[in-house]
């Protein structure tokens, strides 16, 4: 065979091998859309393989041209070149397989294959804890389907957010696992999952408490979480439900007791320590404190001092504009200021609005008015003298005192205040 013909033949064979490799991967990728990302990888590997083959062929062709009349030298050279090409090809194959196995996860990574109904095509942000630090991974959903590979040294909760930052769903996962999950962007309780037992339990919890979650029924949700934690303190799900679904404000002491009942690894892996630190101030016994008087800016922009000893009860309401228009709050205030009531109560609405302009605009159109109600404003409500020891964990927040200034209640529920007054 002449050198030129041999070179042409070898080049064609090499090209056929490359096409076969990349073509087979493309065919395989069509079996599962999530594997498309491998196509580019194998094309690159095949190209490297062909490059080595082509390089050896070029060197071989040069030797053919230089040694055409020396049969023995030519055969020895051919043998050496063939051995060199085979060695290079073997190393490329080993390198390719090593990259392939490392990229497919194994025991050091986890993988999530997902689908989101009513989502379409767009970016997702996956947030989770890895080595006690927050890790953020971006994935792209195409027609609602996505795939993500990452790692965490311990079991972790991965939360999925869309581009505007809305939570779509969550899974519990650990290294070495592949989780198949399906969410619905229009329904946060619709979830099917396989590949992790804790995530499957989460899907069952969402299904059984779907209506309560959609209605923001805090007592019902809390009751469901309490039942799970009490029966299963070793479950990772128990810790995840405490951070994501349980409202500790109505009874912070109970929330602390629930966290204390869990296994140490659950507290550690589900990041319950920050939650515990947040709850601790709320568990403070407020009846050991006293609020004899507070000084605030009133609606006419003058300073006024309010004494809790002037009335049977004093209700401090920490609200924002949207809270003052709430029907539940206004209905409760109507009952509290009813002429039939035998108690006298002073209601001080303390604005948590960002500035006085928003505050004045808000109180200008309120339907509920009463001589017992005074609208006030503070630059920083949580630092008002006399109130600093009482944490305000959210808005609205209510503090009810008796005539001695002793707090009878501190929490987010106006209904709890009404019940205390009625008793």
């Amino acid at each position: 065979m002449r050198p030129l013909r041999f070179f042409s033949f070898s080049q064609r064979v090499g090209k056929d091998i490359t096409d076969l490799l990349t073509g087979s991967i493309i065919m395989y990728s069509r079996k599962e859309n999530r594997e498309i990302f491998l196509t580019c990888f194998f094309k690159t590997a095949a190209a490297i393989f062909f490059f080595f083959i082509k390089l050896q062929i070029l060197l071989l062709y040069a030797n053919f041209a230089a040694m055409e009349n020396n049969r023995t030298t030519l055969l020895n050279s051919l043998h050496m070149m063939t051995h060199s090409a085979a060695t290079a090809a073997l190393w490329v194959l080993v390198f390719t397989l090593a990259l392939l196995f490392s990229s497919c996860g194994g025991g050091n990574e986890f993988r999530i294959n997902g689908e989101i109904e009513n989502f379409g095509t767009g970016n997702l942000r996956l947030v989770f804890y890895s080595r006690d630090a927050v890790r953020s991974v971006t994935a792209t959903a195409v027609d609602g389907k996505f795939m993500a590979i990452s790692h965490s040294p311990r079991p972790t909760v991965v939360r999925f957010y869309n581009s505007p930052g809305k939570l779509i769903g969550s899974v519990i996962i650990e290294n070495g696992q592949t989780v198949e999950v399906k969410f619905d962007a229009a329904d946060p309780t619709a979830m099917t999952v396989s590949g992790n037992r804790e995530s499957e339990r989460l899907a069952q919890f969402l299904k059984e408490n779907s209506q309560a979650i959609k209605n923001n029924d805090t007592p019902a949700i809390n009751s469901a979480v309490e039942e799970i934690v009490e029966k299963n303190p070793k479950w990772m799900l128990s810790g995840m439900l405490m951070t994501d679904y349980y409202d500790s404000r109505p009874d912070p002491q109970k929330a602390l007791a629930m966290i204390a009942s869990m296994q140490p690894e659950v507290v550690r892996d589900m990041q319950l320590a920050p939650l515990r630190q947040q709850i601790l101030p709320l568990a403070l016994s407020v009846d050991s404190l006293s609020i004899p008087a507070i000084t605030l800016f009133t609606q006419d922009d003058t300073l006024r001092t309010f004494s809790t000893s002037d009335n049977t009860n004093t209700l401090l309401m920490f609200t924002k504009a949207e809270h003052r228009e709430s029907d539940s709050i206004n209905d409760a205030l109507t009952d509290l200021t009813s002429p039939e009531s035998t108690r006298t109560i002073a209601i001080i609405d303390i604005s948590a609005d960002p500035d006085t302009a928003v505050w004045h605009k808000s109180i200008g159109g309120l339907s509920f008015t009463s001589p017992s109600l005074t609208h006030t404003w503070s630059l920083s409500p949580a630092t008002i003298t006399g109130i600093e020891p009482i944490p305000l964990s959210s808005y609205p927040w209510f503090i009810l005192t008796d005539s001695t200034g002793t707090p009878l209640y501190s929490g987010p529920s106006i209904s709890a205040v009404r019940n205390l007054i009625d008793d």
Side-chain angles (χ1 to χ4, degrees):
M1 182 180 291
R2 300 294 296 169
L4 184 59
R5 291 178 59 194
F6 179 79
F7 173 73
S8 176
F9 170 76
S10 302
Q11 188 178 39
R12 186 167 63 255
V13 171
K15 180 67 164 58
D16 291 342
I17 291 173
T18 303
D19 291 342
L20 178 62
L21 281 172
T22 58
S24 65
I25 298 305
I26 293 173
M27 290 175 63
Y28 173 69
S29 72
R30 288 173 183 165
K31 295 179 182 178
E32 176 55 66
N33 288 336
R34 304 184 193 96
E35 306 300 334
I36 292 176
F37 81 101
L38 290 175
T39 302
C40 181
F41 172 80
F42 278 101
K43 280 186 176 180
T44 303
I48 295 173
F49 177 83
F50 179 61
F51 171 77
F52 275 97
I53 296 296
K54 186 174 181 180
L55 178 63
Q56 297 300 323
I57 291 174
L58 288 174
L59 294 173
L60 183 62
Y61 172 68
N63 283 339
F64 266 117
M67 299 178 292
E68 196 172 16
N69 297 322
N70 191 330
R71 182 178 183 83
T72 301
T73 304
L74 184 62
L75 290 175
N76 289 337
S77 177
L78 178 61
H79 173 74
M80 292 177 63
M81 292 295 180
T82 304
H83 175 74
S84 178
T87 302
L90 178 61
W91 276 109
V92 171
L93 179 61
V94 170
F95 178 71
T96 301
L97 290 175
L99 286 178
L100 172 62
F101 286 118
S102 66
S103 67
C104 287
N108 297 322
E109 293 178 326
F110 61 75
R111 172 171 170 162
I112 302 172
N113 299 327
E115 182 176 354
I116 307 174
E117 291 187 351
N118 300 307
F119 185 81
T121 299
N123 290 328
L124 295 169
R125 186 164 57 92
L126 285 61
V127 179
F128 58 95
Y129 277 91
S130 179
R131 298 191 183 277
D132 297 323
V134 177
R135 185 178 177 90
S136 180
V137 176
T138 301
T140 299
V142 179
D143 293 331
K145 295 181 180 179
F146 69 91
M147 186 277 292
I149 296 176
S150 195
H151 58 86
S152 177
R154 295 191 291 266
T156 188
V157 179
V158 180
R159 298 174 177 88
F160 300 79
Y161 300 87
N162 61 12
S163 294
K166 177 184 176 183
L167 180 66
I168 294 176
S170 306
V171 297
I172 302 172
I173 196 170
E174 58 184 298
N175 284 346
Q177 293 184 338
T178 296
V179 168
E180 307 280 341
V181 64
K182 186 174 183 179
F183 298 119
D184 187 340
D187 184 355
T189 65
M191 171 185 176
T192 56
V193 64
S194 63
N196 178 281
R197 186 70 184 105
E198 300 283 358
S199 294
E200 293 168 6
R201 291 166 177 159
L202 171 60
Q204 184 67 21
F205 171 84
L206 294 176
K207 180 180 179 181
E208 293 175 353
N209 298 278
S210 174
Q211 204 58 44
I213 294 172
K214 291 177 182 177
N215 294 338
N216 294 315
D217 188 346
T218 297
I221 298 172
N222 277 4
S223 177
V225 173
E226 289 166 5
E227 182 178 357
I228 289 178
V229 173
E230 181 180 350
K231 294 180 179 178
N232 310 283
K234 295 182 180 180
W235 284 5
M236 293 296 169
L237 174 65
S238 296
M240 184 266 188
L241 293 179
M242 286 294 298
T243 59
D244 287 33
Y245 291 94
Y246 193 75
D247 188 347
S248 60
R249 298 175 302 170
D251 194 343
Q253 288 88 355
K254 188 170 190 176
L256 290 175
M258 291 168 64
I259 295 176
S261 71
M262 295 183 195
Q263 295 297 305
E265 59 270 22
V266 176
V267 175
R268 179 196 64 195
D269 295 340
M270 295 296 101
Q271 301 297 321
L272 289 173
L275 176 63
R276 181 168 50 198
Q277 292 301 317
Q278 180 182 348
I279 297 174
L280 277 172
L282 298 176
L284 175 70
S285 178
V286 294
D287 58 7
S288 62
L289 305 174
S290 178
I291 308 175
I294 56 174
T295 302
L296 301 162
F297 278 100
T298 60
Q299 188 172 353
D300 57 1
D301 294 328
T302 60
L303 278 174
R304 177 179 167 185
T305 299
F306 298 85
S307 175
T308 54
S309 63
D310 294 339
N311 298 276
T312 307
N313 297 104
T314 298
L315 174 61
L316 307 179
M317 303 194 315
F318 299 85
T319 63
K320 294 184 178 181
E322 60 268 26
H323 305 137
R324 299 184 197 102
E325 300 172 355
S326 168
D327 289 339
S328 60
I329 292 179
N330 287 326
D331 289 346
L333 294 180
T334 301
D335 289 345
L336 292 175
T337 58
S338 170
E340 289 79 17
S341 175
T342 58
R343 298 189 179 193
T344 59
I345 183 169
I347 303 172
I348 306 172
D349 175 28
I350 304 171
S351 171
D353 294 316
D355 55 56
T356 56
V358 174
W359 171 51
H360 278 294
K361 182 178 179 181
S362 168
I363 62 180
L366 293 177
S367 58
F368 176 81
T369 58
S370 169
S372 303
L373 173 63
T374 305
H375 294 289
T376 66
W377 183 84
S378 172
L379 179 63
S380 179
T383 60
I384 297 172
T385 302
I387 296 178
E388 313 100 306
I390 303 177
L392 311 178
S393 65
S394 64
Y395 297 104
W397 196 262
F398 306 92
I399 300 175
L400 179 68
T401 75
D402 61 16
S403 58
T404 67
T406 301
L408 304 176
Y409 173 80
S410 176
S413 173
I414 187 67
S415 298
V417 172
R418 182 165 51 183
N419 292 336
L420 283 172
I421 295 293
D422 291 341
D423 291 342

